[in-house]
Amino acid sequence: MTAYIFKRVLAVIPILIFVGIATFSLVHIAPGDAANIMAGDYAGPDDVKLIRAELGLDKPVTTQFVEWASRTLRGDFGKSIYSGRTVAELVSQRLEPTISLTIVGGTLAVLLGIPLGVFAAWRAGSRWDRGIQIFAALGISVPGFWLGFIFILAFAVYLRWFPVIGYVSVTEDFTGWIRSITLPVSLLAISGSSVIIRMTRGSILEVLREDFIRTARAKGLANRPVLFRHALRAGAIPIITVIGTLAGALITGVVVTETVFTIPGLGRLIAETVQNRDFPVVQSMLMLLASFYVFINLMVDLAYVFFDPRVRL
Amino acid sequence: MTTGSETMVDIYQDPPLKTRVRKTFATSWKTLKSNPNLMIGSIILTVMVGIAILTLLPTASTVARYDPTELAVRERINGPSADHWFGTDKLGRDVYSRTLHGAKTSLYVGIGVAIIVTIVGTSLGVIVGYNRVADNIVMRVMDGMMSFPTLILALALVAALGSSLTNVIIIIAIVDTPSMTRVVRAVVLSLRERTYVDAARASGASTKRILFLHIAPNTLAPVIIQASIFFGGAILTEAALGFLGVGTPEFIPSWGNIISSGREFIRVGFWIAFFPGVFLALTVFAANIVGDGLRDVLDPRLRGEK
């Protein structure tokens, strides 16, 4: 078991190195010169030179990489070309809305998705199952930004239940906070739970087909214990994987959701900086989000150890 | 076909092509009829493809009624009417014709990505499934690429490469290739242990022959399922990039950038974003249920179970 954990943790290192190299290369795969692109159409040669020096693009690539890597490892992510503020500053300012949205949205998605998925599998082929499956299919097909638009139109513009845009800090005004995140969070919960429903239903269906379930039934066990004592326990392992997938869905969802509802969070930050081609910020966000994603997936893999005795061997 | 009916009957030989084609068509019609997902999904997709083709041809003006880029400053943000079924946008352009022309862009992206990912992903998957050295190198890179959340990687690549229509297709294809490779690799790994592969090798078939004649065709089912999912996913990602303001450039109407342009007019002109969104949602929904339907039909593990 220790060996497994050790091996799994070590496997993260090459992935993070790859993430670092890929992130660093971003400036260099830009056709032409990144400094030129960033300076825009109206910049003089001096501006371009300034940006080039700012990015360190005037040095050899290897030197650049070593410098960039050592800075990044020390936690210095550089600063925005546009606003001149440090990335750390920008990120810390925008952290709260994103954390609120993802934690509340993710929790709701799990609370909604897993029971519905289990229920759909348990009643496979029934009208309930079909209804839940249609909900899930719509949830992954209907674009979040369009659904968000409909939500704003219906609940904010016509019914006036919620504010149209913006975010209220939780420390400032608790009810205001709830009102400001209700629509965005519902959006994240709908798309997130749809992914979870599909995966949960699939894995429980597979478990229900196993021999030991037939054995449990054959020995006269009632439906309820078969589901809760046998199927769910065995089905829990693949369901944990859902958390990793959910993390990916939430990161994507938050970029779109924050744009729809004009919430000043990390998702909005990355969309804005891509628009401005503010490379230092784009690179840092890429690095941060990828590391976060890798970390979540590592946690998921380690959680297997506790749920699946086979891995421990 | 040189072998006539008088030659020795070879039970391992496939039936003639004509029979196979006829059989395939007969079974696919039967499958379509028995699987409502597949049926509804294919109908919607066929309609969308029809619209896209009609807007490509000289028939565009009769179907779409207006030039999607024609400006009419006096008719800015007019609601749906007999003249403009889906209303007009902030520059007086007809939203209905822009939406129909947008179908072209979306399908172009969806089909382009599906084809690139299928070709690259299948080739890589077959190679790494059979070659240890290639496996170690390629899969480490793929693992690395999969450690980025997909939309974030796409956004970063847009920042670096810029956002022409071709770039959007290439970027989405790059983002999707690792998962296709993984799927094909997994199938190849399980296929190479099958007895029929051993039999082929024992009868002296070369590795190349085994790979392309015996293994590659059997990856077809999962590849088709994946391709249909990537088709819908690519359309959705293109629209999301367009919505975020970094996708297909504004002068090419795409569902994403039309919705994006309607965002600021939510109070006075909901129709600008509403109608293209309906088309987008329908198309992605159709692609997803076709994927589900294909999985039910093609995945032998689920066959015969309801």
Side-chain angles (χ1 to χ4, degrees), chain A residues 141 146 198 209 259 277 293, chain B residues 159 162 263 274 288 292 305:
Chain A
S141 309
W146 184 70
R198 288 167 70 93
R209 239 175 258 147
T259 305
R277 310 186 99 171
Y293 193 45
Chain B
R263 198 169 72 90
F274 180 78
N288 282 333
D292 287 352
E305 296 189 37

Side-chain angles (χ1 to χ4, degrees), chain B residues 165-228:
Chain B
L165 184 54
T166 323
N167 276 356
V168 168
I169 294 178
I170 294 173
I171 287 167
I172 301 175
I174 292 176
V175 172
D176 282 345
T177 300
S179 37
M180 181 65 111
T181 311
R182 257 197 192 175
V183 168
V184 175
R185 173 179 174 271
V187 176
V188 171
L189 283 181
S190 78
L191 284 176
R192 55 183 281 184
E193 307 299 330
R194 296 280 176 86
T195 21
Y196 81 91
V197 174
D198 288 342
R201 189 169 301 122
S203 60
S206 67
T207 307
K208 213 163 94 187
R209 191 183 162 82
I210 294 175
L211 271 182
F212 289 99
L213 238 66
H214 298 287
I215 289 186
N218 283 308
T219 61
L220 204 60
V223 165
I224 290 175
I225 296 168
Q226 284 294 315
S228 74

Side-chain angles (χ1 to χ4, degrees), chain A residues 8-288:
Chain A
R8 187 59 192 78
V9 173
L10 276 187
V12 165
I13 294 170
I15 291 183
L16 286 182
I17 291 175
F18 177 88
V19 168
I21 293 174
T23 308
F24 170 76
S25 317
L26 201 65
V27 185
H28 298 272
I29 58 168
D33 187 352
N36 260 326
I37 300 172
M38 289 180 52
D41 298 335
Y42 304 106
D46 288 344
D47 298 328
V48 177
K49 210 181 262 173
L50 207 69
I51 292 181
R52 196 170 290 144
E54 182 86 33
L55 288 175
L57 287 176
D58 44 1
K59 293 174 200 147
V61 179
T62 41
T63 326
Q64 283 180 48
F65 180 69
V66 173
E67 279 180 7
W68 179 82
S70 70
R71 269 199 297 123
T72 307
L73 282 177
R74 274 184 278 122
D76 174 9
F77 289 101
K79 56 185 181 185
S80 159
I81 295 291
Y82 275 81
S83 59
R85 317 235 305 264
T86 61
V87 173
E89 205 180 322
L90 284 173
V91 167
S92 62
Q93 266 177 3
R94 304 237 184 172
L95 208 53
E96 193 208 308
T98 306
I99 289 182
S100 307
L101 291 186
T102 43
I103 289 183
V104 182
T107 313
L108 283 178
V110 170
L111 290 181
L112 200 68
I114 291 181
L116 282 179
V118 171
F119 187 70
W122 186 238
R123 296 254 184 277
S126 73
R127 218 179 302 153
W128 283 102
D129 175 35
R130 202 146 309 147
I132 293 170
Q133 274 194 284
I134 290 175
F135 168 79
L138 284 175
I140 57 164
S141 309
V142 175
F145 49 92
W146 184 70
L147 192 61
F149 182 85
I150 304 292
F151 277 4
I152 295 178
L153 198 62
F155 300 114
V157 174
Y158 285 105
L159 294 173
R160 291 166 190 272
W161 289 350
F162 304 103
V164 174
I165 56 167
Y167 174 79
V168 178
S169 171
V170 63
T171 49
E172 216 171 275
D173 171 9
F174 187 71
T175 37
W177 175 72
I178 296 215
R179 272 163 53 90
S180 74
I181 66 163
T182 305
L183 291 181
V185 157
S186 340
L187 207 60
L188 288 175
I190 289 175
S191 59
S193 64
S194 303
V195 179
I196 297 182
I197 287 173
R198 288 167 70 93
M199 291 182 77
T200 310
R201 182 180 179 276
S203 64
I204 294 288
L205 263 187
E206 215 150 276
V207 171
L208 287 176
R209 239 175 258 147
E210 301 266 353
D211 291 339
F212 69 86
I213 295 290
R214 201 180 324 131
T215 311
R217 285 240 167 84
K219 72 178 189 193
L221 214 55
N223 272 342
R224 220 169 264 262
V226 169
L227 178 65
F228 286 101
R229 215 174 295 157
H230 295 269
L232 271 189
R233 199 180 286 175
I237 302 150
I239 292 177
I240 303 170
T241 341
V242 155
I243 309 299
T245 319
L246 179 68
L250 282 177
I251 293 173
T252 298
V254 99
V255 176
V256 168
T257 308
E258 288 180 354
T259 305
V260 181
F261 292 96
T262 328
I263 291 171
L266 290 180
R268 191 69 213 119
L269 178 67
I270 190 166
E272 278 166 11
T273 46
V274 166
Q275 244 167 351
N276 299 334
R277 310 186 99 171
D278 194 344
F279 280 104
V281 187
V282 173
Q283 283 177 307
S284 317
M285 295 298 293
L286 193 61
M287 197 72 212
L288 278 176

Side-chain angles (χ1 to χ4, degrees), chain B residues 8-271:
Chain B
M8 204 179 67
V9 179
D10 177 3
I11 55 162
Y12 295 110
Q13 200 185 1
D14 288 333
L17 190 66
K18 228 162 96 190
T19 327
R20 269 190 289 163
V21 170
R22 203 185 312 133
K23 253 190 172 162
T24 311
F25 270 106
T27 36
S28 43
W29 177 241
K30 242 168 80 190
T31 329
L32 263 183
K33 272 204 304 193
S34 68
N35 192 316
N37 271 353
L38 212 51
M39 187 72 157
I40 299 169
S42 325
I43 291 174
I44 298 175
L45 287 185
T46 313
V47 171
M48 292 298 167
V49 171
I51 290 174
I53 292 173
L54 286 176
T55 53
L56 270 177
L57 300 174
T59 49
S61 58
T62 54
V63 187
R65 305 175 84 223
Y66 291 92
D67 180 343
T69 52
E70 188 186 275
L71 308 181
V73 187
R74 280 156 184 264
E75 295 174 18
R76 284 190 311 214
I77 316 190
N78 280 353
S81 64
D83 281 345
H84 299 283
W85 292 346
F86 293 176
T88 58
D89 70 2
K90 62 175 170 183
L91 298 171
R93 294 174 297 195
D94 182 51
V95 176
Y96 171 72
S97 76
R98 287 181 72 72
T99 304
L100 291 202
H101 281 274
K104 200 166 42 188
T105 317
S106 291
L107 292 177
Y108 187 49
V109 172
I111 293 169
V113 170
I115 290 176
I116 298 176
V117 172
T118 302
I119 294 174
V120 179
T122 313
S123 327
L124 280 178
V126 168
I127 294 168
V128 301
Y130 227 77
N131 183 317
R132 276 279 154 76
V133 182
D135 189 36
N136 268 325
I137 300 167
V138 176
M139 288 324 284
R140 287 300 79 76
V141 174
M142 296 294 164
D143 284 347
M145 283 170 73
M146 287 181 93
S147 60
F148 293 105
T150 48
L151 186 68
I152 305 298
L153 182 57
L155 279 171
L157 288 172
V158 167
L161 300 174
S163 60
S164 67
L165 184 54
T166 323
N167 276 356
V168 168
I169 294 178
I170 294 173
I171 287 167
I172 301 175
I174 292 176
V175 172
D176 282 345
T177 300
S179 37
M180 181 65 111
T181 311
R182 257 197 192 175
V183 168
V184 175
R185 173 179 174 271
V187 176
V188 171
L189 283 181
S190 78
L191 284 176
R192 55 183 281 184
E193 307 299 330
R194 296 280 176 86
T195 21
Y196 81 91
V197 174
D198 288 342
R201 189 169 301 122
S203 60
S206 67
T207 307
K208 213 163 94 187
R209 191 183 162 82
I210 294 175
L211 271 182
F212 289 99
L213 238 66
H214 298 287
I215 289 186
N218 283 308
T219 61
L220 204 60
V223 165
I224 290 175
I225 296 168
Q226 284 294 315
S228 74
I229 294 168
F230 286 138
F231 169 80
I235 291 178
L236 202 55
T237 308
E238 187 273 335
L241 291 176
F243 175 76
L244 295 173
V246 295
T248 315
E250 239 261 302
F251 59 87
I252 305 171
S254 92
W255 292 334
N257 64 30
I258 306 173
I259 295 175
S260 171
S261 74
R263 198 169 72 90
E264 49 184 312
F265 299 106
I266 187 163
R267 286 170 188 279
V268 289
F270 72 89
W271 50 84

